[in-house]
Amino acid sequence: MALLEIENLKVHFETDDGVVKAVDGISYSVDRGQTLGIVGESGSGKSVSSLTVMGLSRSRNARISGSIKFDGKELLTASDDELRTIRGDDIAMIFQDPLSSLHPFYKVGAQIVEAIRAHRDYSKQQAYDRAVEMLNLVGIPEPRKRAESYPHEFSGGMRQRAMIAMALANDPKLLIADEPTTALDVTVQAQILELIERLQSEFDTAVVVITHDLGVVAEVADEIAVMYAGRIVEHADTDTVFAGPEHPYTWGLLSSIPRLDSPRDEELVPIAGRPPSLINLPGGCSFHPRCPYVKPDHMTIEPPLEALHDNPRHRVACLLDPDTRRKLWKDLREGKSPVDARADVMHDVAAEGSAVQAAGDTGAARGAVAASEEDKGA
Amino acid sequence: MVTYIIRRLLWSILLLFVVSFITFVMFIVLPSADPAILRAGRNPTPELVASIRETLGLDKPWYHQYYVYMRELILHFDFGYSYQNNVAVRETIFDRLPATASLAIGAAVTWLLIGIPIGIISAIKRGTLLDRAAMGFALLAISAPVYWVGLVSIYLFSEDLGKLVPIFKGSGQYTDFTEDPIAWASALMLPWLVLATAFAAIYARFLRANLLDVMGEDYIRTARAKGLGERRVVFKHGLRSAITPIVTIFGLDLGILLGGAILTETVFNIPGIGRLAFDAIQKSDLPIVQGTVLIAAFAVIMMNLIVDILYAFLDPRVRY
């Protein structure tokens, strides 16, 4: 049995402007000791889905449905008190900005002590010793002295280490890391990822890493789920995602990061347009206004997340047939532009008003907006 | 820290100099009644007025008068003597200080006791009927002038005049604490409530807004993610941050009130600094005015300094 099993999770928020479908039916599971990377742009629902696991997205205007099973226990129907005993104990979380995530008025050691004593029947001294031990474990020099420091006296990397020490102090089964390295210097990022990996193998903790940075998940994740507009559009093991991605959005993500093995003069290809509004999702495939390979029926048919025939562990939500997808990816890897790849593989011209003509210029977003507005009219 | 405090104290002295100078100049420049004529009584002879002018030193140029005043103040801590009845200003002020301090400190305690809980509850129950009712009342309380609330409250609640629930005994008959503590408290009860009303409302609204802000902070999410109970999240993590700015305005408000609450003191007939200043201004009694202004400025400056020092203890990020 998987440690964390999420089935058809939906998190909708009722706002004055309409219903925000932050998470719109996602399913995934994480095994003990495994690392899942959830990748997506801002507003793709990756953080909300994880906060929901912790029970932290509960509010008066939130409508949450589906199922979240942790260690066999259903969390969505659990009471606030039950969730509270799980939070910080079996499931711990670290956040993007370690400065704002630590309370500025309390000493670092005291904040870790508080986390320990919320779940363990330790004396203050025992908890304090444990906190110092954890600070030592995450590589903070002179931990006993630094436990008496305030967060503002720590560097960014040290703060994130302290957050990790706090999260792991109760030996959780699952660690959710929400953009753990985004606010840090590049050199520190690698150290923090290394630390998470080392501690994970030491404690046999399952980890969910949420990030917009494919470089981060490439380093630590066993599996990757790519999220777009509240849904998972591709899910496979890490090697497959990098070697044989099947979703045009994943291609876009991969083409927009530099590679060491590509020619030096090759330009990065940004994904045209913007993430859609989660209130007014485009009809059909949510990605169609930005997809260079869109066909007319993609604007009406919703693609299900389906396993591939030759690799059941690789799931993709795309309406293009697998052969076309593979040829397109091959062309893209050879350095062809999306427009050329489309002409080469699909032997047609791009749909009127799609992002394709606009790709790469400043009109891209406008093209995408025009396309999505056409849909609404249809 | 010590150098900081010393520096601030030196600045305070300079500031008091400036304040006294401005008060003096304003008194000379702006048209006011001639203190000598006021002192002389009905139909005075010019000789009498001239002799009073000479006794009070009013025949000398203003800068000489100021020099004499400052010399006495600095060398002997002597605030001069009232133009009206020759009593020493220093003694008069120290006489009036307990009444003003009783009123100000009692009111401050009252508004904290009322305003802070309301602010917290409103923030926690944001958007509910309770919150809206509390904030509606707060707006009303802020808008109502204190002298009006004072008069209405006397009309409704004081023991002798009260038309609704005459429960507050001795309102309008201030008694010294040392004389009779119970009469003191009972006489001040209504003024405390009246003076505290508007402040409590302001503090409730301010704390509510602060707390709502703070509850959206990342470290509150962290506190919840740690599995802390909601009560601990609100009180230990939220309130700890939200209350800090309250300390600042509290220090300022208390400082200003310690310099005299003119309206409240007048309505409730409390012999405090505010009343003293008010009467002195009407009678062009410069030494008394000067003394009360200096005391008020001193109170504000000192409370400011205390707040700033306190801040270093409240917020570990602040260092001097």
Side-chain angles (χ1 to χ4, degrees), chain B residues 95-150:
Chain B
D95 249 19
R96 301 289 193 111
L97 213 48
T100 290
S102 303
L103 177 64
I105 294 169
V109 171
T110 312
W111 84 58
L112 289 180
L113 287 178
I114 299 173
I116 288 178
I118 291 179
I120 296 170
I121 293 168
S122 262
I124 297 172
K125 309 258 177 216
R126 171 166 63 154
T128 62
L129 200 65
L130 190 69
D131 171 34
R132 281 177 212 185
M135 288 305 108
F137 267 114
L139 200 61
L140 217 67
I142 292 170
S143 318
V146 66
Y147 53 85
W148 180 77
V149 176

Side-chain angles (χ1 to χ4, degrees), chain A residues 134-149:
Chain A
M134 287 309 298
L135 286 175
N136 187 37
L137 202 66
V138 297
I140 287 179
E142 297 183 88
R144 197 159 282 276
K145 195 172 144 222
R146 301 304 288 185
E148 291 298 312
S149 300

